Amino acid sequence: MRQSGPAGSSGDRHWRGSARLAVGCALVFCAMSVLVDWDAGSLTPLRALLWGTLSAAVCAILLPGRVSAGPGWLAVRAPWRRRVIHTDALTTVRQYDGVSSHLVLRDVHGHRLELDPRVLAANPLLWHELDTGVRRSLEGGTLLLGADVMARLGQHIDDETVQAVLRASGLS
């Protein structure tokens, strides 16, 4: 599914749902805070403004970065900044596991980008653009560290895709 953006670009098809969830959580936080403060009899316009500001902060924290990709580039746009790397000129790819698993990609221009690998697994077009760029980086000799990380991630994504196809067909 294509998102709005430059011609030939692909975007995270699940971003809108995640953004709605972030906004919903922030609104519920705001409503509950104001209601509790009102019930306690301590709600003032200044405190209501405080709760609104805190709710906006909760929304900004929970709002996921919007991932998009095109031929030779990958971008993550957060509420406060936009990071773009050249996937056909990558130097390193690292994966950090733990509570919050994420990939860290760096290119020859010094740009750095962090990305949740689940976004790639859920969006085949994004994965294809990144994988194509990684292959070009390998061919060009710029990718010095992380080819094994991408191979493992590709195998994991392929395994998930096979399992999804088997579930959808009723064979699993």
Side-chain angles (χ1 to χ4, degrees), residues 52-101:
T53 304
L54 287 174
S55 297
V58 166
C59 184
I61 290 168
L62 294 178
L63 190 66
R66 190 170 196 164
V67 182
S68 58
W73 61 271
L74 181 72
V76 175
R77 185 171 15 128
W80 49 90
R81 69 176 177 233
R82 184 172 189 257
R83 303 256 183 189
V84 180
I85 59 162
H86 297 274
T87 57
D88 52 0
L90 291 173
T91 57
T92 59
V93 176
R94 292 194 174 134
Q95 183 169 10
Y96 296 95
D97 291 321
V99 175
S100 175
S101 176

Short mmCIF file of all heavy atoms in Angstrom, two decimals, residues 52-101:
data_model
loop_
_atom_site.label_atom_id
_atom_site.label_comp_id
_atom_site.label_asym_id
_atom_site.label_seq_id
_atom_site.Cartn_x
_atom_site.Cartn_y
_atom_site.Cartn_z
N GLY A 52 -3.61 19.36 29.81
CA GLY A 52 -3.57 19.35 28.34
C GLY A 52 -2.15 19.27 27.81
O GLY A 52 -1.87 18.54 26.84
N THR A 53 -1.25 20.01 28.44
CA THR A 53 0.16 19.99 28.03
C THR A 53 0.79 18.63 28.29
O THR A 53 1.51 18.09 27.44
CB THR A 53 0.95 21.09 28.78
OG1 THR A 53 0.32 22.34 28.54
CG2 THR A 53 2.39 21.13 28.35
N LEU A 54 0.51 18.05 29.44
CA LEU A 54 1.02 16.71 29.74
C LEU A 54 0.46 15.67 28.78
O LEU A 54 1.16 14.74 28.36
CB LEU A 54 0.71 16.33 31.18
CG LEU A 54 1.55 17.05 32.24
CD1 LEU A 54 1.05 16.69 33.63
CD2 LEU A 54 3.01 16.71 32.09
N SER A 55 -0.79 15.81 28.39
CA SER A 55 -1.40 14.89 27.44
C SER A 55 -0.74 15.01 26.06
O SER A 55 -0.53 14.01 25.38
CB SER A 55 -2.90 15.14 27.33
OG SER A 55 -3.51 14.89 28.56
N ALA A 56 -0.42 16.24 25.66
CA ALA A 56 0.29 16.44 24.39
C ALA A 56 1.67 15.78 24.45
O ALA A 56 2.13 15.19 23.47
CB ALA A 56 0.41 17.92 24.08
N ALA A 57 2.33 15.86 25.60
CA ALA A 57 3.63 15.20 25.76
C ALA A 57 3.49 13.69 25.68
O ALA A 57 4.31 13.01 25.05
CB ALA A 57 4.27 15.61 27.08
N VAL A 58 2.45 13.14 26.30
CA VAL A 58 2.19 11.70 26.22
C VAL A 58 1.98 11.28 24.76
O VAL A 58 2.52 10.27 24.30
CB VAL A 58 0.98 11.30 27.09
CG1 VAL A 58 0.49 9.90 26.77
CG2 VAL A 58 1.33 11.42 28.56
N CYS A 59 1.23 12.06 24.03
CA CYS A 59 0.99 11.77 22.61
C CYS A 59 2.30 11.80 21.82
O CYS A 59 2.56 10.91 21.01
CB CYS A 59 -0.01 12.76 22.03
SG CYS A 59 -0.46 12.39 20.32
N ALA A 60 3.13 12.79 22.06
CA ALA A 60 4.41 12.90 21.34
C ALA A 60 5.33 11.73 21.65
O ALA A 60 6.04 11.24 20.78
CB ALA A 60 5.09 14.22 21.69
N ILE A 61 5.29 11.25 22.90
CA ILE A 61 6.13 10.12 23.29
C ILE A 61 5.63 8.82 22.66
O ILE A 61 6.41 8.00 22.18
CB ILE A 61 6.19 10.00 24.82
CG1 ILE A 61 7.00 11.16 25.39
CG2 ILE A 61 6.79 8.67 25.25
CD1 ILE A 61 6.89 11.31 26.88
N LEU A 62 4.31 8.63 22.65
CA LEU A 62 3.74 7.39 22.14
C LEU A 62 3.64 7.33 20.62
O LEU A 62 3.54 6.25 20.05
CB LEU A 62 2.34 7.17 22.73
CG LEU A 62 2.28 6.93 24.23
CD1 LEU A 62 0.82 6.78 24.67
CD2 LEU A 62 3.09 5.70 24.62
N LEU A 63 3.66 8.48 19.96
CA LEU A 63 3.50 8.53 18.51
C LEU A 63 4.71 7.88 17.83
O LEU A 63 5.84 8.33 18.02
CB LEU A 63 3.35 9.97 18.04
CG LEU A 63 2.93 10.16 16.59
CD1 LEU A 63 1.50 9.64 16.38
CD2 LEU A 63 2.98 11.64 16.23
N PRO A 64 4.48 6.82 17.06
CA PRO A 64 5.62 6.15 16.41
C PRO A 64 6.15 6.98 15.24
O PRO A 64 5.43 7.79 14.66
CB PRO A 64 5.01 4.84 15.92
CG PRO A 64 3.58 5.15 15.69
CD PRO A 64 3.21 6.17 16.74
N GLY A 65 7.41 6.74 14.91
CA GLY A 65 7.98 7.39 13.73
C GLY A 65 7.32 6.86 12.48
O GLY A 65 6.96 5.68 12.40
N ARG A 66 7.15 7.71 11.49
CA ARG A 66 6.54 7.31 10.23
C ARG A 66 7.65 6.90 9.27
O ARG A 66 8.47 7.71 8.86
CB ARG A 66 5.72 8.46 9.66
CG ARG A 66 4.89 8.04 8.49
CD ARG A 66 3.93 9.13 8.11
NE ARG A 66 2.90 8.57 7.26
CZ ARG A 66 1.78 9.16 6.99
NH1 ARG A 66 1.49 10.31 7.53
NH2 ARG A 66 0.92 8.59 6.20
N VAL A 67 7.67 5.62 8.92
CA VAL A 67 8.73 5.06 8.09
C VAL A 67 8.29 5.08 6.63
O VAL A 67 7.18 4.68 6.30
CB VAL A 67 9.06 3.61 8.52
CG1 VAL A 67 10.19 3.04 7.69
CG2 VAL A 67 9.41 3.56 10.00
N SER A 68 9.19 5.53 5.77
CA SER A 68 8.94 5.48 4.33
C SER A 68 10.25 5.15 3.63
O SER A 68 11.33 5.33 4.19
CB SER A 68 8.37 6.81 3.82
OG SER A 68 9.25 7.86 4.11
N ALA A 69 10.14 4.63 2.42
CA ALA A 69 11.33 4.23 1.68
C ALA A 69 11.09 4.39 0.19
O ALA A 69 9.95 4.36 -0.27
CB ALA A 69 11.69 2.78 2.00
N GLY A 70 12.16 4.54 -0.52
CA GLY A 70 12.13 4.62 -1.97
C GLY A 70 13.43 4.06 -2.50
O GLY A 70 14.27 3.58 -1.74
N PRO A 71 13.63 4.14 -3.79
CA PRO A 71 14.87 3.61 -4.36
C PRO A 71 16.10 4.32 -3.80
O PRO A 71 16.31 5.50 -4.02
CB PRO A 71 14.73 3.90 -5.86
CG PRO A 71 13.26 4.07 -6.08
CD PRO A 71 12.71 4.64 -4.81
N GLY A 72 16.87 3.59 -2.98
CA GLY A 72 18.11 4.13 -2.45
C GLY A 72 17.99 4.93 -1.16
O GLY A 72 18.99 5.47 -0.69
N TRP A 73 16.84 5.02 -0.56
CA TRP A 73 16.71 5.78 0.69
C TRP A 73 15.66 5.17 1.61
O TRP A 73 14.76 4.46 1.18
CB TRP A 73 16.37 7.25 0.42
CG TRP A 73 15.07 7.47 -0.31
CD1 TRP A 73 14.90 7.51 -1.66
CD2 TRP A 73 13.77 7.65 0.26
NE1 TRP A 73 13.57 7.71 -1.96
CE2 TRP A 73 12.86 7.81 -0.81
CE3 TRP A 73 13.29 7.72 1.55
CZ2 TRP A 73 11.50 8.00 -0.61
CZ3 TRP A 73 11.93 7.90 1.75
CH2 TRP A 73 11.05 8.05 0.68
N LEU A 74 15.83 5.47 2.90
CA LEU A 74 14.89 5.06 3.95
C LEU A 74 14.79 6.23 4.91
O LEU A 74 15.80 6.83 5.28
CB LEU A 74 15.41 3.81 4.67
CG LEU A 74 14.54 3.23 5.77
CD1 LEU A 74 13.30 2.56 5.16
CD2 LEU A 74 15.31 2.21 6.57
N ALA A 75 13.57 6.57 5.32
CA ALA A 75 13.37 7.73 6.19
C ALA A 75 12.44 7.37 7.34
O ALA A 75 11.52 6.56 7.19
CB ALA A 75 12.76 8.89 5.40
N VAL A 76 12.71 7.98 8.49
CA VAL A 76 11.84 7.87 9.65
C VAL A 76 11.54 9.30 10.10
O VAL A 76 12.45 10.07 10.42
CB VAL A 76 12.49 7.09 10.81
CG1 VAL A 76 11.60 7.10 12.03
CG2 VAL A 76 12.79 5.66 10.39
N ARG A 77 10.25 9.64 10.08
CA ARG A 77 9.83 10.99 10.47
C ARG A 77 9.12 10.90 11.81
O ARG A 77 8.06 10.30 11.93
CB ARG A 77 8.91 11.59 9.42
CG ARG A 77 8.56 13.02 9.73
CD ARG A 77 7.82 13.74 8.63
NE ARG A 77 7.29 12.87 7.61
CZ ARG A 77 6.03 12.87 7.19
NH1 ARG A 77 5.17 13.73 7.72
NH2 ARG A 77 5.62 12.06 6.25
N ALA A 78 9.72 11.51 12.81
CA ALA A 78 9.13 11.60 14.15
C ALA A 78 8.54 13.00 14.28
O ALA A 78 8.78 13.86 13.44
CB ALA A 78 10.21 11.36 15.20
N PRO A 79 7.77 13.25 15.34
CA PRO A 79 7.17 14.58 15.49
C PRO A 79 8.20 15.71 15.55
O PRO A 79 7.91 16.83 15.18
CB PRO A 79 6.41 14.49 16.81
CG PRO A 79 6.15 13.04 17.02
CD PRO A 79 7.30 12.33 16.38
N TRP A 80 9.40 15.42 15.99
CA TRP A 80 10.38 16.48 16.20
C TRP A 80 11.54 16.48 15.20
O TRP A 80 12.30 17.43 15.15
CB TRP A 80 10.94 16.41 17.61
CG TRP A 80 11.38 15.03 17.97
CD1 TRP A 80 12.62 14.49 17.79
CD2 TRP A 80 10.58 14.00 18.55
NE1 TRP A 80 12.63 13.18 18.21
CE2 TRP A 80 11.40 12.86 18.69
CE3 TRP A 80 9.25 13.93 18.95
CZ2 TRP A 80 10.92 11.67 19.23
CZ3 TRP A 80 8.80 12.74 19.48
CH2 TRP A 80 9.62 11.63 19.62
N ARG A 81 11.69 15.42 14.39
CA ARG A 81 12.77 15.39 13.41
C ARG A 81 12.52 14.35 12.33
O ARG A 81 11.68 13.46 12.49
CB ARG A 81 14.11 15.14 14.09
CG ARG A 81 14.21 13.74 14.64
CD ARG A 81 15.59 13.48 15.23
NE ARG A 81 15.59 12.15 15.80
CZ ARG A 81 15.94 11.85 17.02
NH1 ARG A 81 16.35 12.80 17.81
NH2 ARG A 81 15.90 10.61 17.46
N ARG A 82 13.30 14.46 11.26
CA ARG A 82 13.24 13.50 10.16
C ARG A 82 14.64 13.01 9.88
O ARG A 82 15.56 13.81 9.72
CB ARG A 82 12.65 14.16 8.92
CG ARG A 82 12.47 13.21 7.75
CD ARG A 82 11.71 13.89 6.62
NE ARG A 82 11.35 12.95 5.60
CZ ARG A 82 11.98 12.84 4.44
NH1 ARG A 82 12.99 13.62 4.15
NH2 ARG A 82 11.58 11.94 3.56
N ARG A 83 14.80 11.70 9.85
CA ARG A 83 16.10 11.09 9.58
C ARG A 83 16.01 10.34 8.25
O ARG A 83 15.07 9.58 8.03
CB ARG A 83 16.49 10.10 10.67
CG ARG A 83 16.52 10.70 12.04
CD ARG A 83 17.91 10.91 12.45
NE ARG A 83 17.93 11.42 13.81
CZ ARG A 83 19.02 11.85 14.36
NH1 ARG A 83 20.13 11.84 13.70
NH2 ARG A 83 18.99 12.31 15.59
N VAL A 84 17.01 10.54 7.40
CA VAL A 84 17.06 9.87 6.11
C VAL A 84 18.46 9.27 5.94
O VAL A 84 19.46 9.92 6.24
CB VAL A 84 16.78 10.84 4.95
CG1 VAL A 84 16.85 10.13 3.61
CG2 VAL A 84 15.44 11.52 5.12
N ILE A 85 18.50 8.03 5.46
CA ILE A 85 19.78 7.42 5.12
C ILE A 85 19.73 6.92 3.68
O ILE A 85 18.66 6.69 3.12
CB ILE A 85 20.15 6.25 6.05
CG1 ILE A 85 19.09 5.16 6.00
CG2 ILE A 85 20.39 6.72 7.46
CD1 ILE A 85 19.56 3.84 6.52
N HIS A 86 20.90 6.77 3.11
CA HIS A 86 21.03 6.22 1.76
C HIS A 86 21.27 4.72 1.91
O HIS A 86 22.35 4.30 2.34
CB HIS A 86 22.19 6.89 1.02
CG HIS A 86 21.97 8.35 0.81
ND1 HIS A 86 21.29 8.84 -0.27
CD2 HIS A 86 22.34 9.42 1.56
CE1 HIS A 86 21.23 10.16 -0.18
NE2 HIS A 86 21.87 10.53 0.93
N THR A 87 20.28 3.92 1.56
CA THR A 87 20.40 2.48 1.75
C THR A 87 21.39 1.84 0.79
O THR A 87 21.89 0.76 1.06
CB THR A 87 19.03 1.78 1.60
OG1 THR A 87 18.49 2.08 0.32
CG2 THR A 87 18.08 2.23 2.68
N ASP A 88 21.68 2.51 -0.30
CA ASP A 88 22.64 1.95 -1.25
C ASP A 88 24.07 2.37 -0.92
O ASP A 88 25.00 2.09 -1.67
CB ASP A 88 22.28 2.33 -2.68
CG ASP A 88 22.06 3.82 -2.87
OD1 ASP A 88 22.18 4.56 -1.88
OD2 ASP A 88 21.74 4.22 -4.00
N ALA A 89 24.25 3.03 0.22
CA ALA A 89 25.58 3.46 0.68
C ALA A 89 25.72 3.23 2.18
O ALA A 89 26.30 4.04 2.89
CB ALA A 89 25.81 4.92 0.32
N LEU A 90 25.20 2.11 2.67
CA LEU A 90 25.29 1.80 4.10
C LEU A 90 26.70 1.37 4.48
O LEU A 90 27.40 0.73 3.68
CB LEU A 90 24.31 0.67 4.46
CG LEU A 90 22.83 1.01 4.40
CD1 LEU A 90 22.00 -0.24 4.61
CD2 LEU A 90 22.47 2.05 5.44
N THR A 91 27.11 1.72 5.70
CA THR A 91 28.40 1.27 6.21
C THR A 91 28.23 0.24 7.32
O THR A 91 28.99 -0.71 7.40
CB THR A 91 29.24 2.44 6.74
OG1 THR A 91 28.51 3.11 7.76
CG2 THR A 91 29.59 3.40 5.62
N THR A 92 27.24 0.45 8.19
CA THR A 92 27.01 -0.49 9.29
C THR A 92 25.52 -0.67 9.52
O THR A 92 24.72 0.24 9.34
CB THR A 92 27.64 -0.02 10.62
OG1 THR A 92 27.10 1.24 10.97
CG2 THR A 92 29.14 0.06 10.53
N VAL A 93 25.19 -1.90 9.93
CA VAL A 93 23.84 -2.24 10.37
C VAL A 93 24.00 -3.03 11.66
O VAL A 93 24.70 -4.04 11.68
CB VAL A 93 23.08 -3.10 9.33
CG1 VAL A 93 21.72 -3.50 9.86
CG2 VAL A 93 22.96 -2.37 8.01
N ARG A 94 23.39 -2.54 12.72
CA ARG A 94 23.45 -3.24 14.01
C ARG A 94 22.03 -3.46 14.50
O ARG A 94 21.17 -2.62 14.30
CB ARG A 94 24.22 -2.42 15.03
CG ARG A 94 25.68 -2.33 14.69
CD ARG A 94 26.48 -1.82 15.86
NE ARG A 94 27.88 -1.88 15.51
CZ ARG A 94 28.73 -0.91 15.73
NH1 ARG A 94 28.33 0.19 16.31
NH2 ARG A 94 29.99 -1.05 15.39
N GLN A 95 21.84 -4.59 15.18
CA GLN A 95 20.55 -4.86 15.80
C GLN A 95 20.75 -5.01 17.29
O GLN A 95 21.61 -5.77 17.74
CB GLN A 95 19.90 -6.12 15.23
CG GLN A 95 18.53 -6.36 15.81
CD GLN A 95 17.75 -7.44 15.09
OE1 GLN A 95 18.29 -8.16 14.26
NE2 GLN A 95 16.50 -7.57 15.41
N TYR A 96 19.96 -4.27 18.04
CA TYR A 96 19.99 -4.32 19.50
C TYR A 96 18.71 -5.00 19.96
O TYR A 96 17.62 -4.55 19.63
CB TYR A 96 20.12 -2.92 20.10
CG TYR A 96 21.42 -2.25 19.72
CD1 TYR A 96 21.50 -1.40 18.64
CD2 TYR A 96 22.57 -2.51 20.45
CE1 TYR A 96 22.70 -0.80 18.28
CE2 TYR A 96 23.77 -1.91 20.10
CZ TYR A 96 23.83 -1.06 19.03
OH TYR A 96 25.02 -0.47 18.67
N ASP A 97 18.86 -6.07 20.71
CA ASP A 97 17.71 -6.80 21.22
C ASP A 97 17.48 -6.39 22.67
O ASP A 97 18.29 -5.72 23.29
CB ASP A 97 17.93 -8.30 21.13
CG ASP A 97 17.94 -8.78 19.69
OD1 ASP A 97 17.13 -8.27 18.90
OD2 ASP A 97 18.75 -9.66 19.36
N GLY A 98 16.37 -6.81 23.18
CA GLY A 98 16.01 -6.48 24.56
C GLY A 98 14.56 -6.09 24.61
O GLY A 98 13.74 -6.55 23.82
N VAL A 99 14.24 -5.22 25.56
CA VAL A 99 12.86 -4.78 25.72
C VAL A 99 12.37 -4.08 24.46
O VAL A 99 11.26 -4.28 24.00
CB VAL A 99 12.74 -3.84 26.94
CG1 VAL A 99 11.33 -3.29 27.05
CG2 VAL A 99 13.12 -4.58 28.20
N SER A 100 13.24 -3.26 23.88
CA SER A 100 12.89 -2.51 22.68
C SER A 100 13.90 -2.83 21.59
O SER A 100 14.92 -2.15 21.44
CB SER A 100 12.89 -1.01 22.98
OG SER A 100 12.67 -0.28 21.80
N SER A 101 13.63 -3.87 20.81
CA SER A 101 14.54 -4.26 19.75
C SER A 101 14.53 -3.20 18.65
O SER A 101 13.48 -2.69 18.28
CB SER A 101 14.10 -5.61 19.17
OG SER A 101 14.92 -5.95 18.08
#
